[in-house]
Amino acid sequence: MIQNLKPEHFVDVIRLGNDVHGEGYLDRQSIESLYKKGIKSGINANFVAYQDGELVGFRLTYAPGNWRPDKWCTPKEWGVKIEQVCYFKCNTVAKSCQGKGIGGLLLQASIDASKLQGAKAGVSHLWKQSPNNSAIRYFSKAGGVLINEHRDRWNDSKEHPDYVCVICGPDCHCTASEMLLRFK
């Protein structure tokens, strides 16, 4: 069920990402860039979940050292060196499979790979407006702690210039909860 993301999965990942998060969330160029950021020392921290031949989830994770904190990050509050922190970019589960533990399995696979890449912790910006606050609840359950909140995080994003939020439309004002998960 859980396996490393490979280029042959890109079409399915783009389709699922746009279905769950909104049109324009992913395209071929963005998934290729995101994928490369997850690989370090031959270890891939990006994963997909298939069930009965259908993609039901994916996790994109930037390897430590393969990303830079931006204005939406508060590294002075992390208590971990930036070069030892991976970035949990995206965890996406098909609507029909949400609440069944797939997101947690994908997260654990990325944690295990990120540790092998040298990470001591991972940071993420979680969608506060997710249905039933599921993103924050699942990440908190895994041990994540709230660092900061950032309104308008996804508004006019350079990473996703054509993004149309499923709640706000093209002018997204959703809040990102910056959370840190220290690895055991």
Side-chain angles (χ1 to χ4, degrees), residues 24-25 30 34 37 62 87 89 153 156-161:
Y25 185 74
S30 64
L34 298 169
K37 290 180 181 180
Y62 300 163
Y87 185 78
K89 171 63 178 139
R153 164 68 174 86
D156 195 29
S157 169
K158 290 177 184 167
E159 273 182 341
H160 307 287

Side-chain angles (χ1 to χ4, degrees), residues 80-95:
V80 181
K81 294 177 184 175
I82 292 169
E83 60 272 9
Q84 294 178 321
V85 177
C86 69
Y87 185 78
F88 296 119
K89 171 63 178 139
C90 176
N91 196 46
T92 302
V93 177
K95 292 171 188 165

Side-chain angles (χ1 to χ4, degrees), residues 10-22:
F10 288 177
V11 170
D12 290 343
V13 169
I14 292 166
R15 186 179 308 116
L16 181 59
N18 290 345
D19 179 53
V20 172
H21 299 292

Side-chain angles (χ1 to χ4, degrees), residues 8-155:
E8 55 263 29
H9 302 130
F10 288 177
V11 170
D12 290 343
V13 169
I14 292 166
R15 186 179 308 116
L16 181 59
N18 290 345
D19 179 53
V20 172
H21 299 292
E23 201 55 45
Y25 185 74
L26 289 173
D27 59 25
R28 183 67 186 205
Q29 184 178 349
S30 64
I31 191 63
E32 287 176 2
S33 173
L34 298 169
Y35 169 74
K36 289 175 185 173
K37 290 180 181 180
I39 300 171
K40 181 178 182 180
S41 304
I43 300 164
N44 183 353
N46 302 300
F47 290 89
V48 292
Y50 277 86
Q51 191 170 47
D52 300 323
E54 182 180 336
L55 180 72
V56 295
F58 65 88
R59 157 134 324 268
L60 304 174
T61 302
Y62 300 163
N66 283 4
W67 70 284
R68 294 179 191 257
D70 58 18
K71 68 180 182 177
W72 309 104
C73 293
T74 319
K76 66 181 187 240
E77 302 295 326
W78 297 347
V80 181
K81 294 177 184 175
I82 292 169
E83 60 272 9
Q84 294 178 321
V85 177
C86 69
Y87 185 78
F88 296 119
K89 171 63 178 139
C90 176
N91 196 46
T92 302
V93 177
K95 292 171 188 165
S96 63
C97 294
Q98 291 174 359
K100 297 180 180 177
I102 293 169
L105 293 172
L106 289 163
L107 176 62
Q108 190 58 56
S110 282
I111 289 170
D112 293 343
S114 297
K115 286 163 97 173
L116 293 173
Q117 294 171 332
K120 303 284 185 206
V123 71
S124 187
H125 291 91
L126 290 105
W127 186 30
K128 188 172 183 178
Q129 286 79 8
S130 64
N132 300 316
N133 202 21
S134 60
I136 308 280
R137 283 189 301 114
Y138 119 85
F139 206 72
S140 297
K141 182 179 175 182
V145 296
L146 181 65
I147 301 295
N148 204 344
E149 290 194 341
H150 307 280
R151 185 165 160 77
D152 300 337
R153 164 68 174 86
W154 295 284
N155 190 301

